[in-house]
Amino acid sequence: MRKRAHKISFDTFLENATALSLSDLPNTWNQTVLFGNDAPLELEIGSGRGLFITQAATATPHHHFLGIEISKKYAAHCAALIAQNLLSNAVMVCADAHIVLKNYLPDESLTAVHIYFPDPWWKRRHRKRRIVCEPVIELVHQRLVVGGKLHFWTDVEEYFLAGLKSIATVSGFDRLSEVSENTDYDFGYRTHFERRTLGHSETVYRSLFVKNK
Ligand SMILES: C[S@@+](CC[C@H](N)C(=O)[O-])C[C@H]1O[C@@H](n2cnc3c(N)ncnc32)[C@H](O)[C@@H]1O
């Protein structure tokens, strides 16, 4: 009689996979320590349920993907998804992305930065917590290589416009017209929030920038 293949459940991955913490990151940046080799590095800020990082790491095996997620629960979820998909080119870190950008990543170390549906922090007094703001975009600019890409999508028009303003203030980015709020993607969705937004027939405000100097 043929033995039935034992399928490992996602819950088992969730029990065993853990995201890294800041203390696991090399003080002097060393990608080989994290990934075992060197390759172009893409950063995702706020990975949520991990759909983007898993899809992107699967589709682009010759790049490395670093996901930063501040919530322990979601960082663990992402790490489990990465383990379940046997992805050796993706690493999850549970931390504040601002700190990772500021203190761990060196200049010109990133080939792309992905920010999808960042928390909008609706209350005016909380707005300073928004990740898409001038000081963070300044750091993103420094950490990207020339020609590196910044992807910023949201479902909140006001945040989108404020974000575009911050990006425009930090000189050294060109906006690429191939991605906008009017772009229709035929590959479906990239992230959990995008799926939700499209499911409600709401607009996704998308932008793509390239570092020009
Ligand atoms: C609205 S969710 C979007 C998740 C995912 N990008 C998506 O599109 O489905 C925003 C995520 O960013 C995370 N986050 C918020 N502030 C962060 C920060 N400073 N550093 C890293 N992650 C952060 C939140 O915990 C949350 O999972």
Side-chain angles (χ1 to χ4, degrees), residues 19-187:
L20 301 183
S21 63
L22 284 178
S23 58
D24 298 315
L25 292 180
N27 283 335
T28 307
W29 185 247
N30 186 335
Q31 221 172 295
T32 314
V33 168
L34 276 187
F35 293 94
N37 57 24
D38 227 0
L41 180 64
E42 304 202 22
L43 176 79
E44 186 189 20
I45 296 179
S47 302
R49 306 269 181 101
L51 293 191
F52 170 73
I53 194 165
T54 352
Q55 289 178 60
T58 305
T60 320
H62 54 287
H63 280 199
H64 290 159
F65 290 84
L66 186 64
I68 314 291
E69 172 51 61
I70 206 165
S71 145
K72 246 187 173 169
K73 182 178 136 196
Y74 288 132
H77 184 97
C78 295
L81 212 51
I82 288 168
Q84 189 180 33
N85 285 278
L86 304 173
L87 293 165
S88 56
N89 62 330
V91 166
M92 253 346 272
V93 177
C94 182
D96 182 338
H98 191 172
I99 294 176
V100 176
L101 275 166
K102 191 168 169 208
N103 299 337
Y104 290 85
L105 292 166
D107 285 354
E108 309 212 342
S109 55
L110 300 172
T111 200
V113 174
H114 303 265
I115 311 177
Y116 300 124
F117 301 84
D119 288 333
W121 295 107
W122 293 108
K123 288 187 181 157
R124 194 166 286 277
R125 68 177 189 279
H126 291 157
R127 295 255 167 100
K128 54 181 180 294
R129 298 183 192 167
R130 284 182 172 179
I131 200 80
V132 180
C133 61
E134 234 178 282
V136 173
I137 296 301
E138 185 72 59
L139 283 169
V140 166
H141 181 264
Q142 286 165 16
R143 304 313 184 230
L144 277 171
V145 296
V146 173
K149 304 251 173 89
L150 165 62
H151 307 247
F152 165 46
W153 299 3
T154 172
D155 55 341
V156 180
E157 186 179 19
E158 179 275 321
Y159 191 4
F160 185 65
L161 297 175
L164 294 187
K165 219 168 159 184
S166 303
I167 297 166
T169 310
V170 175
S171 65
F173 281 114
D174 288 330
R175 185 168 178 194
L176 300 180
S177 57
E178 69 210 48
V179 174
S180 75
E181 50 276 38
N182 300 317
T183 314
D184 270 337
Y185 280 90
D186 57 7
F187 55 70

